């Protein structure tokens, strides 16, 4: 019913209808249109007067004399015209020879029924009929035909939010079509990203297989670049990729997503929980794409699906007349585009983020490297952002930048001078004092290293060189790699402050014939290449042929996966083994000896085994008895920091302190 009258007006119209008033007279008296009054009278069961009476009063009945006998025929009167004081039921409309016209969509009934069973709407069916079958009918004809098949449904009222050009856009995810996954070869459901401008209703639709914080931010960047600019506000749902903790007044945004929007000058406005009407424009855009071009479709690749969606966007979505504005979407977007913000010259530099705890040394660990935090943060947590160039430490509460460091190598330290402790540790003071006792030149060199490289650099240099201080008839003091004091009684023929030739710990002078410092550094370098608990075993296993990581783990059950992987990476970097990636039905990696570096090291180990066998027979010792001594030799040969890679020496190598002492 078009109009709804109040109760008093309805009773007035019904009362006049029962009095026999015509619809025209009721309209003149009450001001209610004839169509509306007729509807109320029909619902009340009151018959309407047949058109053509003109509203004139009925003629009075002709008197008929009853009971007269023998009346002449001339006096006979016409029978009285029956006047019905009540109302009869409305007469049935006369049958007409109206010719039913067949719908232009009737020829495609089977196809339309098939598409309706897949859940598609009338617009998508009409577009397919035009593209594939050259359908010449209008959309309204298909719409009426579909309505006769489905029946009409009532629409629910919605609030319309109007925005100025270039101010707001709305984003959301939807369900995309089925696309064949290149990895598994099976059809997989995709995700549909939609960005809709609030003023022109221009949409950007992108497909993706999976979603993450970075993918969500990259989709925004692609959408902004397709539009040629960015809006000032983006309205989004409370999904995890954008909002970490929903809140009415102060929602917590994902830091990566927040920084990407700040790079483009956009502010995020999350919706309230369970309030999708705030972003109804993008909800309509998602539903439009799902029901019209993508419903029931399957594609062989993601590129094919995106190309199909872009073609539909250009040919149909942008050229349609929007139902609310009654204007073409492309025309409205041409008017809104000048109001969009200009894009920055450089794209956003993506980073990784996490939470780290400041250790007792004042550093946090990021990818096996260590970066200094400001004083006072030991034991507290900080937010960390890192990429290929920088590592940033942020205050978790205020987001303030605490420190920014350049990315370092694995095992390295990045500490500012102002973050280092002002008080020198007692152990380092003792080492510097012993260096001065060893000689003036040694003390000067150690002081210069301490001033230039700090505590870590000084300890590293002192571990590379063993300094000997000979007192008259006293003890030989060695500074080993841990800075501990060891003594052995020797006989001195020099003064208290002079360096004599290096004496063997067993009291022999065999060390007088040891090789020069350069050759010694090469020997240390060779030992460092095979230093490691499981390296020799791995090389021995690879002489039988290539092996996978799982086979090596079964062979060395006591070795952890991390340690085996670290040894394999180090030997691959040194060129001793070769890593081969085999991409078959099941992808796996195999390791084998390199030629000639790996085979040469294997031959060297075989010679070492033969010498060790002869030596153990000569000394009546088993190889197990010399394990502790071998560990001492290997630990002594591992100069530098614990996980530094060996570097082929040049010149004097690591014996510079020894040369300076001489």
């Amino acid at each position: 019913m078009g109009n709804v009258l109040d109760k008093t007006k309805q009773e007035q119209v019904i009362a006049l209808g029962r009095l026999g008033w015509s619809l025209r007279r009721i309209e003149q008296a009450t001001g209610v249109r004839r169509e509306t009054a007729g509807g109320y009278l029909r619902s009340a069961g009151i018959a309407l007067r047949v058109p053509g009476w003109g509203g004139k009063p009925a003629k009075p009945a002709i008197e008929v004399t009853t009971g007269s006998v023998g009346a002449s025929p001339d006096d006979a009167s016409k029978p009285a015209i029956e006047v019905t004081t009540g109302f009869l039921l409305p007469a049935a409309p006369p049958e007409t020879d109206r010719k039913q016209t067949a719908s232009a969509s009737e020829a495609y009934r089977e196809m339309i029924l098939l598409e309706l069973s897949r859940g598609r709407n009338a617009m998508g069916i009409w577009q397919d009929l035009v593209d594939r079958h050259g359908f010449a009918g209008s959309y309204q004809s298909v719409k009426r035909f579909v309505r006769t098949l489905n029946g009409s449904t009532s629409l629910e009222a919605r609030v319309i939010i109007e925005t100025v050009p270039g101010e707001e856009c709305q984003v959301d995810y939807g369900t995309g079509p089925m696309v064949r996954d290149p990895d598994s070869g099976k059809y997989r459901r995709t995700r549909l990203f939609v960005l809709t401008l609030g003023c022109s209703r221009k949409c950007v639709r992108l497909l993706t297989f999976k979603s993450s914080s970075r993918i969500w931010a990259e989709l925004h960047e692609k959408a902004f670049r397709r539009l040629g600019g960015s809006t000032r506000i983006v309205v989004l749902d409370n999904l995890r990729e954008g909002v970490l903790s929903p809140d009415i007044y102060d929602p917590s945004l994902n830091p990566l997503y927040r920084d990407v929007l700040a790079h483009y000058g956009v502010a995020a406005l999350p919706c309230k929980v369970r309030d999708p009407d705030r972003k109804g424009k993008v909800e309509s855009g998602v539903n439009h794409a799902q029901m019209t071009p993508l419903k029931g479709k399957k594609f062989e690749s993601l590129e094919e699906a995106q190309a199909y969606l872009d073609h539909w966007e250009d040919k149909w979505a942008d050229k349609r007349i929007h139902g609310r504005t009654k204007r073409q979407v492309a025309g409205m977007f041409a008017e809104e585009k000048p109001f969009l913000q200009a894009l920055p010259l450089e794209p956003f530099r993506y980073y990784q983020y996490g939470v780290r705890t400041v250790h007792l040394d004042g550093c946090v660990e990021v990818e096996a490297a260590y970066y200094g935090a400001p004083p006072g943060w030991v034991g507290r947590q900080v937010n960390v952002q890192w990429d290929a160039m920088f590592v940033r430490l942020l205050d978790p509460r205020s987001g303030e930048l605490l420190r920014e460091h350049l990315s370092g190598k694995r095992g390295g330290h990045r500490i500012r001078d102002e973050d280092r402790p002002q008080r020198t540790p007692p152990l380092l003071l003792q080492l510097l004092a012993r260096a001065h006792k060893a000689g003036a030149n040694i003390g000067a060199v150690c002081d210069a290293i301490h001033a230039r490289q700090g505590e870590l650099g000084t300890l590293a240099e002192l571990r590379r060189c063993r300094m000997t201080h000979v007192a008259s008839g006293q003890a030989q003091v060695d500074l080993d790699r841990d800075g501990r004091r060891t003594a052995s009684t020797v006989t001195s023929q020099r003064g208290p402050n002079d360096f004599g030739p290096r004496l063997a710990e067993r009291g022999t002078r065999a060390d007088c014939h040891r090789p020069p410092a350069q050759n010694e550094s090469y020997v240390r370098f060779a030992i460092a290449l095979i230093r490691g608990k499981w390296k020799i075993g791995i090389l021995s296993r690879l002489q039988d042929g290539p092996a996978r990581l799982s086979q090596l783990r079964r062979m060395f059950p006591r070795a952890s996966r991390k340690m085996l992987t670290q040894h394999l990476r180090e030997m691959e970097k040194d060129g001793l083994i070769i890593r081969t990636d085999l991409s078959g039905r099941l992808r796996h990696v195999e390791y084998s000896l390199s030629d000639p570096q790996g085979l040469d090291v294997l031959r060297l180990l075989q010679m070492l085994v033969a010498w060790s066998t002869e030596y153990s027979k000569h000394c009546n010792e088993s190889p197990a008895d010399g394990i502790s001594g071998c560990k001492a030799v290997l630990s002594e040969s591992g100069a530098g920091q614990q996980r530094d890679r060996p570097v082929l020496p040049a010149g004097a190598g690591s014996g510079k302190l020894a040369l300076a002492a001489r």
Side-chain angles (χ1 to χ4, degrees):
M1 190 176 297
N3 299 320
V4 179
L5 303 178
D6 55 5
K7 194 66 176 177
T8 305
K9 209 70 171 178
Q10 294 180 16
E11 293 178 353
Q12 183 181 4
V13 171
I14 294 174
L16 296 178
R18 287 175 178 173
L19 294 177
W21 286 28
S22 64
L23 296 178
R24 189 182 302 274
R25 188 177 178 186
I26 293 176
E27 180 181 6
Q28 293 175 356
T30 61
V32 180
R33 296 184 60 186
R34 287 173 291 174
E35 295 84 354
T36 305
Y40 281 103
L41 294 178
R42 292 189 189 94
S43 62
I46 301 175
L48 302 180
R49 296 179 61 178
V50 180
W53 288 4
K56 298 180 180 180
K59 295 181 179 180
I62 301 175
E63 294 182 359
V64 178
T65 304
T66 61
S68 58
V69 181
S72 64
D74 297 335
D75 295 337
S77 301
K78 296 181 180 179
I81 300 176
E82 293 185 356
V83 178
T84 305
T85 56
F87 292 93
L88 300 176
L89 294 177
E95 296 183 359
T96 59
D97 295 336
R98 185 177 178 182
K99 197 172 183 180
Q100 297 291 337
T101 304
S103 174
S105 306
E106 185 66 33
Y108 306 95
R109 173 183 287 269
E110 297 296 333
M111 175 185 173
I112 294 175
L113 289 175
L114 178 61
E115 296 296 330
L116 289 176
S117 64
R118 296 176 179 175
R120 303 196 66 187
N121 57 5
M123 177 62 73
I125 297 174
W126 174 67
Q127 292 174 0
D128 284 352
L129 289 175
V130 173
D131 287 340
R132 299 180 180 180
H133 303 280
F135 183 68
S138 64
Y139 164 66
Q140 296 297 330
S141 64
V142 179
K143 181 179 178 181
R144 289 190 299 268
F145 189 75
V146 170
R147 185 176 297 175
T148 57
L149 297 177
N150 290 338
S152 59
T153 57
S154 59
L155 301 178
E156 186 178 355
R158 287 288 185 267
V159 178
I160 299 174
I161 301 176
E162 297 292 345
T163 58
V164 299
E167 178 185 2
E168 179 185 298
C169 69
Q170 301 176 6
V171 293
D172 197 8
Y173 267 138
T175 303
M178 298 292 291
V179 179
R180 191 180 297 277
D181 190 354
D183 296 332
S184 63
K186 299 180 179 179
Y187 284 103
R188 180 180 172 187
R189 180 69 66 182
T190 58
R191 303 195 71 175
L192 173 65
F193 172 82
V194 181
L195 182 145
T196 305
L197 295 180
C199 181
S200 63
R201 278 74 168 180
K202 166 67 178 177
C203 294
V204 177
R205 298 176 174 90
L206 303 172
L207 296 174
T208 180
F209 273 121
K210 57 184 179 180
S211 178
S212 63
S213 300
R214 178 162 181 172
I215 294 177
W216 172 255
E218 288 177 345
L219 291 173
H220 282 70
E221 277 196 310
K222 293 180 181 178
F224 290 153
R225 298 201 175 275
R226 285 199 175 194
L227 295 175
S230 61
T231 58
R232 293 161 181 80
I233 298 175
V234 56
V235 180
L236 70 153
D237 205 351
N238 293 282
L239 71 167
R240 190 68 178 178
E241 289 85 347
V243 181
L244 297 180
S245 58
D247 189 84
I248 298 178
Y249 303 103
D250 189 16
S252 177
L253 297 178
N254 190 306
L256 179 63
Y257 180 61
R258 179 193 59 214
D259 293 345
V260 170
L261 294 184
H263 180 73
Y264 287 90
V266 183
L269 184 61
C271 296
K272 296 180 181 180
V273 179
R274 298 179 182 177
D275 185 19
D277 290 343
R278 176 59 184 88
K279 54 182 184 65
K281 298 174 183 177
V282 70
E283 295 282 355
S284 177
V286 171
N287 183 68
H288 187 201
Q290 289 177 341
M291 302 302 295
T292 305
L294 301 179
K295 188 69 174 181
K297 295 291 185 179
K298 288 187 178 181
F299 301 93
E300 295 300 322
S301 65
L302 194 64
E303 293 76 13
E304 178 187 354
Q306 187 64 54
Y308 173 81
L309 188 59
D310 293 341
H311 168 74
W312 174 83
E313 190 80 34
D314 296 336
K315 184 175 181 180
W316 297 104
D318 290 347
K319 296 180 180 180
R320 77 185 191 277
I321 303 299
H322 193 269
R324 170 67 181 87
T325 59
K326 301 299 187 294
R327 296 182 58 192
Q328 191 181 48
V329 175
M332 291 189 295
F333 174 65
E335 298 176 0
E336 185 180 11
K337 188 174 182 179
F339 294 92
L340 298 177
Q341 298 184 107
L343 297 177
L345 298 179
E346 295 184 358
F348 181 77
R349 296 181 180 271
Y350 287 92
Y351 59 81
Q352 303 181 51
Y353 63 92
V355 179
R356 298 291 188 273
T357 302
V358 182
H359 301 303
L360 294 178
D361 58 354
C363 298
V364 297
E365 181 181 357
V366 178
E367 294 184 349
Y370 302 92
Y371 303 91
W377 283 84
V378 175
R380 300 168 61 183
Q381 290 185 341
V382 295
N383 294 337
V384 183
Q385 299 176 359
W386 70 92
D387 53 17
M389 298 181 61
F390 298 100
V391 176
R392 303 176 183 87
L393 309 183
L394 305 175
D395 190 336
R397 292 186 177 181
S398 62
E400 178 185 0
L401 179 63
L402 300 178
R403 288 292 182 269
E404 184 176 18
H405 303 279
L406 293 174
S407 298
K409 62 180 182 179
R410 296 175 61 89
H413 288 74
R414 295 283 187 181
I415 305 175
R416 290 189 180 182
D417 294 336
E418 59 268 23
D419 297 337
R420 299 182 184 275
Q422 300 298 329
R423 184 177 64 88
T424 306
L427 176 61
L428 184 58
L429 292 177
Q430 295 176 8
L431 294 177
L432 293 176
R434 292 174 184 176
H436 280 281
K437 290 181 181 180
N441 294 333
I442 296 297
V445 171
C446 291
D447 290 340
I449 294 175
H450 179 249
R452 183 175 181 179
Q453 301 183 14
E455 177 186 357
L456 297 177
T458 306
L459 292 176
E461 292 296 337
L462 291 178
R463 289 169 182 169
R464 293 191 181 99
C465 180
R466 303 180 64 195
M467 296 180 298
T468 306
H469 172 65
V470 182
S472 57
Q474 298 298 324
Q476 172 186 350
V477 180
D478 294 336
L479 295 179
D480 59 359
R481 59 190 297 271
D482 294 328
R484 291 192 295 263
R485 183 168 179 261
T486 61
S488 59
T489 303
V490 297
T491 303
S492 175
Q493 300 178 357
R494 299 275 180 172
N497 294 327
D498 295 335
F499 264 101
R502 297 190 176 185
L503 302 179
E505 294 184 359
R506 296 185 179 181
T508 64
R509 298 183 61 86
D511 284 346
C512 295
H513 304 287
R514 66 192 312 174
Q518 181 176 2
N519 296 335
E520 179 183 354
S521 62
Y522 278 104
V523 173
R524 292 180 182 273
F525 173 76
I527 295 176
L529 287 177
I530 58 175
R531 182 184 63 196
K533 187 174 182 180
W534 311 102
K535 283 188 178 181
I536 297 178
I538 294 174
L539 293 174
S540 301
R541 166 61 182 82
L542 294 182
Q543 70 177 344
D544 299 333
R548 297 165 61 176
L549 180 60
S550 58
Q551 297 173 346
L552 296 176
R553 291 193 63 187
R554 288 193 295 268
M555 185 175 181
F556 306 104
R558 298 179 59 184
S560 63
R561 183 186 182 94
K562 177 182 177 182
M563 184 59 65
L564 288 179
T565 304
Q566 179 180 348
H567 285 350
L568 291 172
R569 288 178 179 175
E570 291 177 358
M571 289 190 291
E572 180 188 1
K573 185 177 180 181
D574 296 335
L576 301 182
I577 63 175
I578 298 175
R579 180 179 184 272
T580 305
D581 190 357
L582 301 177
S583 57
R585 183 175 181 182
L586 296 177
R587 300 181 60 182
H588 62 279
V589 177
E590 289 185 352
Y591 298 92
S592 58
L593 290 174
S594 62
D595 189 10
Q597 290 86 356
L599 299 178
D600 291 344
V601 172
L602 186 61
R603 285 190 287 269
L604 178 63
L605 292 177
Q606 293 174 353
M607 296 173 59
L608 187 61
V609 169
W611 175 84
S612 177
T613 304
E614 295 296 332
Y615 182 81
S616 61
K617 292 179 181 179
H618 176 72
C619 298
N620 294 326
E621 296 181 359
S622 63
D625 298 335
I627 290 179
S628 59
C630 293
K631 288 184 177 180
V633 172
L634 291 178
S635 62
E636 182 178 324
S637 64
Q641 298 183 4
Q642 183 176 0
R643 298 185 184 275
D644 285 349
R645 301 294 306 124
V647 180
L648 188 65
S654 61
K656 53 184 178 182
L657 289 181
L659 292 178
R662 292 177 185 175

